[in-house]
Amino acid sequence: MARSKPLLDAKETRDRIVALRAEVLKHQRAYHQQDAPLISDAQYDALVRELEELESAFPDLAPGTSPVDQVGFAPKREFSEVRHRVPMLSLNNAFEPQDVEQYVARLAQNLGLAADAPELRFSAELKFDGIAVSLRYERGLLTQAATRGDGSVGEDITVNIRVIPSVPPRLTGNSIPEVLEVRGEVLMQKQDFAALNQRQAALGEKVFVNPRNAAAGSLRQLDPAVTASRPLSFFAYGTGEVVLSRELESKLLTHSDWLNALQGWGLPVGTLRRSQLDAEGLRRFYADVLARRSDLPFEIDGVVYKLESLALQAKAGFVSRAPRFAIAHKFPAEEASTRLLDIDVQVGRTGALTPVARLEPVFVGGVTVTNATLHNEDEITRKGLMIGDTVWVRRAGDVIPEVLGTIAALRPADARPFVMPMCCPVCGTKTVRESGEAVSRCPAGLSCKAQRKQAFLHFAQRKAMDIEGLGEKIVDQLVDGGHVTHLSDIYRLDVPLLSNLERMAEKSAQNLLDQIDRSRDASLARFLFALGIRHVGERTARDLALHFQSIDALRSATVEELMQAPDVGPVVAASIRSFFDLPEQAAVVDGLCAQVRITRLDDRPAVAPVSVTVEGVKAAGEVGQTSTQAASYPFTGMTVVLTGTLSSMSRDQASDWIVALGGKASGSVSAKTSLVVAGEAAGSKLAKAQELGVKVIDEAAFLAIIAPYRQDS
Ligand code: IVH
């Protein structure tokens, strides 16, 4: 785990230790007392690691107590104190797989066991990213709750804990211990956090930077009514002081036995956990949980491994602030702080001006992030960002990076505000911002080069005309070189011209031309989507294609007629009408119609005529793919949600089948959901479906339903 550091002399080392101690103390205070961290957890961990390494390498240069031996921080003054009868300790961290291997090897050695000894088994569970609390039950009744504080003395938060719905005021079940101190974590679910922040922003109140801070701020309220208004959850992961019968003690021999017992007494325990794992099992658990992290309804910052056997736990003992029997295996941080170097303005396909943060490269969520969208001017104001600020950046799963907010305390004297340009940064046209709109636009349309480039990229994308190889680099050269102006110009390109472009040889030019030719044969739905009409996404394009059945019928439809199509309201109808009314766009469409053959209405899977009964629903009659009404199909009238990964088809293909067979494919689970199709690693949507009692089927069952209709099977 050693990180190389430049060599320092004795004085420099002592100065560094003193400075690091002061820095760590400052951050401990900000985190634990003020619920307002100044740096990310990963940065804090890095500081502590450096300090620990220096202190252990140079014990003579580091006398006195170190803040790294201290767990948390002393309580806030307003709360009364609770002395923990069993200290609330912390965990040592592992970051890399080798750190875990070393930990297991060292533990085995300390216990006098071989590294692969069968007794060396672990339980693995989630590392909840919330606030550690201790709940005391006496004869089954909740009598006291406390925060961790400095590990020895915490804050009395009994009244606040009582308002958390998942904390039982009374234990249920059999053989309840005389005294049971439950250790666990209070947290706020991601959805609840987003809703709380929206409410706070609407009221002009403080918005929280992440769910952990929101949970901390909500729990440590002097007025428990405020806590009650904040949706908090609790998960138990261990125990403190316990007084129990000998009989019970003889039955609870492993950590997993205890978690099961806690669950049996009505306490919420995380369900994503495993028992009796060896080192290979731990590796698999880590990988599995990491893959499901972004689907979980709450935040975790890693997983925790604990020796199963309580007898071995006792034998393993402790190192200053942490037990030897457990270790936290941390995930790459999803949040980090970095400098906001500048704010650029990009022009999108519809002329929208989007401010984009240029960031000092920062490793977050497993990748190096250098840019993040800031959406619009109001968003920058709401987040209080200034150029030069140190900001919080978040990148979770595959979600695009986001700037969460600024760290006001670290604002430099030369920080400057962002000003939205009055003119388009690409073509210089004066921008407009309509009242009630958050976005400024360049009104120049296709005469603005930026919008023209985006129009080509949109036209070529997979879900539109699907021209593989017509990417940003080629489009930039084609537009900048004046080789293409209208979309239809794509169909006039030839090999000599294309092979003259940068990074294009004759072979790749020919490939691109083949792709362009292939795209001439298109469905009406694709063609409409490819035109890039504002508010006409993929689904609307398909609805319009099925409703109007020809480009001419659509072009000549009035706003009222357009509104007869499914899901087309006044805004979409007006946008379509004004698109076709613009002579410039009409010319583009005419030009394209001369090049493209529209051979079908849409690209849904072809539905074969069948008459079978699937799950009691009769699928009758013959329905061609251009008709959406009449017959009953397995998903007729149903709202179906896909979650997780399907192994035999993409999500888009599965959605197509749901729609083709009469259903509506939806992205989120609600009481209105009729059915959830759960693939591999299904996460929060599956949990929600189970909570709401919505029917869930697996991939095999889904394939069985669609099988009679597949012409390829
Ligand atoms: S066990 C003596 N298990 O992580 C061992 N801690 O970084 C005490 N945490 O102080 C902790 N999930 O606040 C344990 N499944 C889990 C946990 C967990 C979250 C927190 C806890 C602890 C901190 C250490």
Side-chain angles (χ1 to χ4, degrees), residues 252 271 331 354 375 404 542 655-656 697:
L252 300 176
T271 46
F331 287 155
T354 306
H375 304 289
L404 297 173
R542 178 152 70 184
S655 293
D656 283 346
I697 59 170

Side-chain angles (χ1 to χ4, degrees), residues 71 87-93 124-133 148 183-185 235-239 255 259 301-306 318 321-323 325-326 328 330:
V71 182
M88 288 184 76
L89 298 176
S90 186
L91 289 170
N92 282 325
N93 292 328
E125 58 201 69
L126 303 181
K127 186 169 190 309
F128 303 100
D129 197 5
I131 318 302
V133 295
R148 181 170 62 176
R183 301 277 161 89
E185 205 88 348
F235 286 102
Y237 52 65
T239 55
H255 178 67
L259 290 185
D301 55 345
V303 290
V304 185
Y305 310 139
K306 297 173 185 170
F318 297 85
R321 65 194 174 112
F325 66 75
K330 301 268 274 218

Side-chain angles (χ1 to χ4, degrees), residues 278-460:
D278 59 9
E280 173 56 26
L282 298 182
R283 256 195 302 279
R284 255 189 266 133
F285 183 76
Y286 179 87
D288 182 31
V289 175
L290 184 57
R292 299 164 73 162
R293 180 186 194 182
S294 55
D295 281 339
L296 292 175
F298 45 77
E299 296 214 330
I300 56 173
D301 55 345
V303 290
V304 185
Y305 310 139
K306 297 173 185 170
L307 258 181
E308 274 289 19
S309 154
L310 300 186
L312 286 184
Q313 282 195 4
K315 200 170 162 197
F318 297 85
V319 271
S320 68
R321 65 194 174 112
R324 279 212 187 86
F325 66 75
I327 191 158
H329 192 176
K330 301 268 274 218
F331 287 155
E334 288 186 325
E335 281 170 22
S337 59
T338 188
R339 287 272 315 281
L340 175 58
L341 301 175
D342 207 347
I343 298 179
D344 290 350
V345 175
Q346 280 180 354
V347 185
R349 182 170 57 83
T350 58
L353 266 54
T354 306
V356 176
R358 296 280 169 238
L359 303 165
E360 201 166 82
V362 59
F363 190 73
V364 57
V367 298
T368 300
V369 170
T370 48
N371 305 318
T373 174
L374 295 170
H375 304 289
N376 55 54
E377 201 176 356
D378 293 350
E379 189 77 358
I380 296 176
T381 313
R382 192 176 72 77
K383 290 180 172 159
L385 307 180
M386 284 175 79
I387 298 163
D389 273 359
T390 299
V391 293
W392 288 103
V393 177
R394 176 176 177 78
R395 185 194 177 268
D398 290 333
V399 181
I400 53 170
E402 184 191 3
V403 174
L404 297 173
T406 185
I407 305 175
L410 301 183
R411 174 165 290 160
D414 61 354
R416 57 194 167 89
F418 167 74
V419 184
M420 198 69 178
M422 305 293 285
C423 294
C424 171
V426 176
C427 72
T429 307
K430 197 167 179 310
T431 60
V432 288
R433 180 170 169 182
E434 276 154 32
S435 67
E437 281 223 10
V439 175
S440 301
R441 289 179 190 283
C442 162
L446 292 179
S447 46
C448 168
K449 257 192 192 174
Q451 292 176 60
R452 213 180 312 149
K453 287 179 182 173
Q454 292 298 325
F456 280 105
L457 288 171
H458 176 81
F459 186 79

